[in-house]
Structure formats: C-alpha cells, structure tokens
Amino acid sequence: MQRVFLFQKEDNELDGIHIDNVGKKILKEHLLTRRTASFEWYPDFDLCSFNWYDINSPETDTERILIYFSRKDLLVYCENADTQVRMTNFFGSENKNTERQLQVICDGLLDNANNLICENGLIHFNIVHNRIDRCHAAVLNLQDYVMQMRETYQSQIDIEQNELMKVFTLITTLFLPLSLMVGWYGMNFHNMPELSSPWGYPVFIIVSIGISLGLILYFKKKKWF
C-alpha cells in the first residue's frame, strides 16, 4: 500500500495499514518530534527522515520528509500540500515499481551535491540503498518465477486442449464414412438395387461395423490413441 500524508495527521489514517501497535507508537513519535536526517531500522519496517527542498524553486527553505517502508506498505509524510501532491503523483500510480522509486530517491540523497547530509546520514542512506537493491532483486526474481509458472500453466492448458481436439478429430474421422454412406443411400432413387434387396440392411450394418473396426485398428496402429 502506498500513501502520502501531511504531518498534521489523524490517528484513523493508519487504519487498514499493516502496522502493529509498537510500530504505530514509533511512527507517531517521529511525527511529533520531526527528527531530521535520522534513520532507524526495525525487524518489520524502516524509517528515514531528512530535510528536502526543490532545486528548481527560487525558495531555499527546507521541509521535512519522513518515509516509512515495510514489505507491505510505503508511507510518505511531508509538511505542505504542494509537496504532498508531488509525492502522490510520484508514488500514487499502482503500475509503478516501489523499489525503483526508492532507488531514485536514495541515489539523489547519496549524491549529496549541496553537502546537506552529514557523513553519518550518508552511511545510513547507503544501508537503505543496499537493502532496497536487495528487495528490488528479490522482486525481479519473483516476477521471473511467476512468468515461468504462468508459461508452464499455459503450456499445460495447450497440451490438454490439443488432446481434446485430437479426440474430437478421431471421432469425426470415425463417423465421416458412415455419414457418407447414410447420405448416399438416403437419396432413395428407384433404380438402387440395394434398397429392394432383402440383404441390403444386414449388408449395410456389416459394412458399417467393418469400416469402424478398420479405422479403429488403423488409429491403434498409428498410436493416435
């Protein structure tokens, strides 16, 4: 789940997010103290807090950014509505890759072009960057595994469909000569001697059974079933 909040948050905004009571308490402490350039990692989640400003804006006032990320949730807290809109556009798309987005953020922070982050902060961000790289690699491996499973499943379905079509083809081939014979003698012309012969019907039955048995033996010889 990806969400972007302002620091002036309500408690019910954490409803539906996979955070236990201990995690909620720690997150609320960060939101209240607004610690800057801090990094903390826990068994189930990580917290990053830093100052940020737009290099394309003439204003140089910095603002706080707090990022909470775990295996299931990515929460971003900012101080003003404009930044919230930007972060929402950046993180809001469901089609975007969260790990890739975090890699872009960490790459920009590690550049530290204006020397705003201390050495200790860079070490912490480098740890985060490495963990994100490992998560991204794990996600790519899972994607490849899912694609392989999907292709295997699709191949199995194709094999089953081919077997079904094979059965239908054999049945059609088996009854095609019989349908031809029925259509031929169903014309009921007056000069057809087989229609008036007392042996016509038994002969027709014997010939039909013989053709069916012959086709079945031929299919068995060819190992078609």
Side-chain angles (χ1 to χ4, degrees):
M1 181 181 296
Q2 303 177 16
R3 291 187 181 180
V4 180
F5 300 117
L6 292 175
F7 276 104
Q8 295 78 14
K9 58 168 287 296
E10 300 293 337
D11 291 340
N12 57 9
E13 287 183 349
L14 293 179
D15 295 340
I17 301 175
H18 305 86
I19 306 178
D20 56 14
N21 293 330
V22 177
K24 288 183 179 180
K25 181 179 179 181
I26 296 173
L27 181 58
K28 289 179 180 178
E29 290 178 357
H30 272 268
L31 295 176
L32 292 175
T33 58
R34 300 194 180 187
R35 282 178 281 180
T36 305
S38 64
F39 171 76
E40 296 182 9
W41 61 91
Y42 299 91
D44 298 326
F45 63 91
D46 295 319
L47 288 174
C48 286
S49 177
F50 53 91
N51 283 335
W52 175 85
Y53 74 95
D54 186 2
I55 61 174
N56 297 320
S57 174
E59 299 180 2
T60 59
D61 295 335
T62 61
E63 63 175 288
R64 292 273 287 98
I65 298 291
L66 175 64
I67 298 178
Y68 167 98
F69 59 95
S70 64
R71 291 182 178 273
K72 297 182 178 180
D73 299 306
L74 172 64
L75 309 180
V76 180
Y77 291 87
C78 47
E79 290 187 335
N80 61 64
D82 292 338
T83 305
Q84 183 184 21
V85 173
R86 293 181 182 179
M87 293 295 176
T88 301
N89 293 333
F90 186 74
F91 290 102
S93 177
E94 294 294 337
N95 296 324
K96 288 187 176 181
N97 189 303
T98 303
E99 292 78 13
R100 183 55 185 163
Q101 295 166 346
L102 292 175
Q103 282 179 328
V104 173
I105 294 176
C106 288
D107 288 339
L109 293 173
L110 290 174
D111 288 340
N112 197 22
N114 297 323
N115 296 321
L116 294 177
I117 303 177
C118 62
E119 289 294 330
N120 190 33
L122 290 176
I123 293 174
H124 288 162
F125 283 123
N126 189 52
I127 295 174
V128 175
H129 189 269
N130 293 334
R131 296 182 68 174
I132 293 172
D133 286 340
R134 290 195 295 270
C135 290
H136 185 61
V139 170
L140 293 179
N141 290 334
L142 288 175
Q143 288 179 344
D144 293 338
Y145 178 74
V146 170
M147 290 298 296
Q148 292 176 3
M149 293 296 295
R150 181 181 178 182
E151 292 175 357
T152 302
Y153 178 70
Q154 186 64 41
S155 299
Q156 184 65 29
I157 292 178
D158 293 339
I159 293 173
E160 293 177 357
Q161 290 179 344
N162 290 336
E163 290 295 328
L164 184 60
M165 294 301 298
K166 181 179 179 181
V167 172
F168 289 156
T169 302
L170 292 177
I171 294 174
T172 302
T173 305
L174 183 63
F175 284 96
L176 183 60
L178 304 181
S179 299
L180 177 61
M181 294 173 60
V182 170
W184 183 271
Y185 288 104
M187 293 185 291
N188 294 325
F189 289 117
H190 294 290
N191 295 325
M192 296 179 69
E194 295 88 348
L195 298 179
S196 58
S197 174
W199 297 98
Y201 182 66
V203 170
F204 183 86
I205 294 177
I206 294 173
V207 172
S208 299
I209 295 175
I211 292 175
S212 299
L213 292 177
L215 289 174
I216 291 174
L217 293 176
Y218 179 77
F219 295 155
K220 294 281 287 185
K221 183 179 180 181
K222 293 293 186 179
K223 297 181 180 180
W224 289 350
F225 71 90

